[in-house]
Amino acid sequence: EAQVTQNPRYLITVTGKKLTVTCSQNMNHEYMSWYRQDPGLGLRQIYYSMNVEVTDKGDVPEGYKVSRKEKRNFPLILESPSPNQTSLYFCASSSLQGLGYNEQFFGPGTRLTVL
Amino acid sequence: AQSVSQHNHHVILSEAASLELGCNYSYGGTVNLFWYVQYPGQHLQLLLKYFSGDPLVKGIKGFEAEFIKSKFSFNLRKPSVQWSDTAEYFCAVPNQGGKLIFGQGTELSVKP
């Protein structure tokens, strides 16, 4: 089954404790992206990747890091989480060919609370 | 820069009522337009999309949307909503780099 998976689904942590949210897709997609969803703000892009070892900042990259060492994986790293990073996070992937025309496939979301 | 605006933040309807959710975008050139739906506790799923051709687009679960270029609009409609349509709905437009620009979202609550 074609899917995007994320782990963990729920995470409560404390300020400053490094964490990683994993994202994996099995559709051989080149394009992967991280979004955060906050009430009244919709989804905002954090980082995206066009292919292995190619990453770029989205609209709200501060406080986040990503890596793309393998095509299928795109982890989101919070080196020193702060309470304003409490949010719902989604990973998405899409074929690069026809990007902008194709559907983006979303993961189930990770609800992060930073105390 | 491309932007998307959804006017209704929260809509409450009774079952069988008709639905129309507004979406306006800012860019005046060729656009591709998407509506995504997020059911409670679930990930976003594609409802429908418009690229070209017939401006009335039909999607899954009885939803449709009409692209009106002169009004920069892509409103989502359904003639008769069901309780299972309770969800959050997002309009989205890709920018030139392919990044999806999302609207703020509209939360739809359908009363049984």
Side-chain angles (χ1 to χ4, degrees), chain A residues 76-90:
Chain A
L76 179 70
I77 303 155
L78 284 71
E79 294 270 4
S80 182
S82 61
N84 65 10
Q85 292 178 298
T86 293
S87 187
L88 180 58
Y89 291 87
F90 288 99

Side-chain angles (χ1 to χ4, degrees), chain A residues 2 25 39 43-45 49 58 60 85 92 105 107 114:
Chain A
Q25 49 92 8
L43 280 82
R44 294 177 292 168
Q45 192 182 52
S49 170
V60 287
Q85 292 178 298
F105 292 85
V114 183

Side-chain angles (χ1 to χ4, degrees), chain A residues 49-65:
Chain A
S49 170
M50 294 291 213
N51 217 323
V52 175
E53 302 291 2
V54 181
T55 64
D56 210 344
K57 296 178 180 178
D59 298 317
V60 287
E62 294 77 20
Y64 305 94
K65 284 175 56 177

Side-chain angles (χ1 to χ4, degrees), chain A residues 68-80:
Chain A
R68 188 89 182 273
K69 293 184 171 57
E70 302 166 286
K71 196 172 186 179
R72 63 184 293 127
N73 296 325
F74 190 45
L76 179 70
I77 303 155
L78 284 71
E79 294 270 4
S80 182

